[in-house]
Amino acid sequence: MLGILSDFSEYCKDHDLTYFLDAGTLIGAVRHKGFIPWDDDIDVNMPREDYDKFIALTKESDGMLNNHLKVEYPEETLHVFLKIGDTRTVLVEYPDKFPMKCAVYIDIFPKDGLRDKSWRTKILCSLSKTLALVNWFCKFSIYVWKNDSHIVKRFIAFVGRKGIKHPNLAIEVQDKLIHWYKKRNPIEQCSYVTTLVNGEYHKIAPKTCFDEVIDMKFEGKTFDGPIGYDEYLHCLYEGDYMQLPPEDQRIPHKTIVYWKEGYKP
């Protein structure tokens, strides 16, 4: 994953795109100068303008960043945000319950501007979150629930599989909603930002947190972080993020990872 992040960072610099370390990866950079010991993923965010440019640029090369890194777009995955996967690898997520194979990846989230924290903004976030959940239902739940012990879930899954003809409809509607809001509320007129694709009203942060890029050390390498990282992290997490959580909460994701045949270094 660190190699994916390094290549992504270089790509952004080569194409004059802005990104920031985000969420647990940002905490890791601040608190551990690298990965949180029990964490095993990497999150970054991009301002919406740069995020959309990144999509347009990478689609010109069929999603390939280089000869082994491929961008996975929302219409191709279960998610409403981008991933970059290493095509030489295999990652099995949820191996005990719902094993799903994909490439080892990092997550890339768009940061969208919000004019205020009004009830209108709350409704916007709720609509976007609902569409994200509908997307998950259409692409994941209706297939997993077909073997569920609850008859109601099995029935819903059956109806869903028969009735849903366009599984990407929810993310298409969400994308139109977000860009409709963006057109009427340019980032220059916004005071806040959030990960709107996830509908994160409760994690809204001041736009000034991202006014400048600063260097941050992560596993001995230098990546881009937001100048207002402290204020931003306090918006994301309750309490003192510099304090380690109780040991029983330090739980890594259970996954299986291996190289594809012929690629093991």
Side-chain angles (χ1 to χ4, degrees), residues 10 14 24 28 31 60 135 166 174:
E10 286 301 314
D14 290 344
R31 192 170 67 195
E60 291 177 2
N135 178 69
H166 188 11
Q174 185 195 60

Side-chain angles (χ1 to χ4, degrees), residues 192-257:
Y192 302 95
V193 295
T194 194
T195 307
L196 190 52
V197 291
N198 289 340
E200 294 181 348
Y201 179 81
H202 61 296
K203 295 182 179 181
I204 290 174
K207 185 180 69 174
T208 53
C209 292
F210 299 91
D211 276 354
E212 295 180 36
V213 174
I214 62 171
D215 290 342
M216 303 195 87
K217 290 294 183 182
F218 189 90
E219 298 296 334
K221 296 178 179 289
T222 302
F223 297 103
D224 293 349
I227 190 167
Y229 66 85
D230 181 65
E231 184 176 12
Y232 176 56
L233 286 172
H234 277 104
C235 292
L236 296 188
Y237 304 101
E238 295 181 359
D240 184 1
Y241 65 82
M242 291 300 289
Q243 295 297 317
L244 296 178
E247 288 192 20
D248 61 352
Q249 295 180 21
R250 305 175 195 176
I251 303 172
H253 302 114
K254 190 167 186 180
T255 57
I256 299 171
V257 181

Side-chain angles (χ1 to χ4, degrees), residues 87-126:
T87 59
R88 304 170 299 177
T89 64
V90 176
L91 167 67
V92 184
E93 298 186 291
Y94 316 113
D96 293 337
K97 289 188 175 182
F98 317 113
M100 295 188 297
K101 286 186 178 181
C102 58
V104 172
Y105 62 82
I106 67 171
D107 294 326
I108 307 174
F109 300 92
K111 279 295 181 196
D112 285 292
L114 297 172
R115 182 179 287 274
D116 51 40
K117 293 184 178 181
S118 68
W119 62 269
R120 293 181 182 85
T121 299
K122 192 170 187 177
I123 290 174
L124 173 71
C125 290
S126 296

Side-chain angles (χ1 to χ4, degrees), residues 5 33 45 58 64 66 79 94 101 112 126 134 148 161 171 180 188 195 198 206 232 246 250 252-253 262:
L5 179 60
K33 305 302 179 187
N45 71 63
T58 55
M64 298 302 295
N66 53 32
H79 305 279
Y94 316 113
K101 286 186 178 181
D112 285 292
S126 296
V134 170
D148 197 273
R161 291 195 305 277
I171 56 171
W180 170 85
E188 296 79 15
T195 307
N198 289 340
Y232 176 56
R250 305 175 195 176
H253 302 114

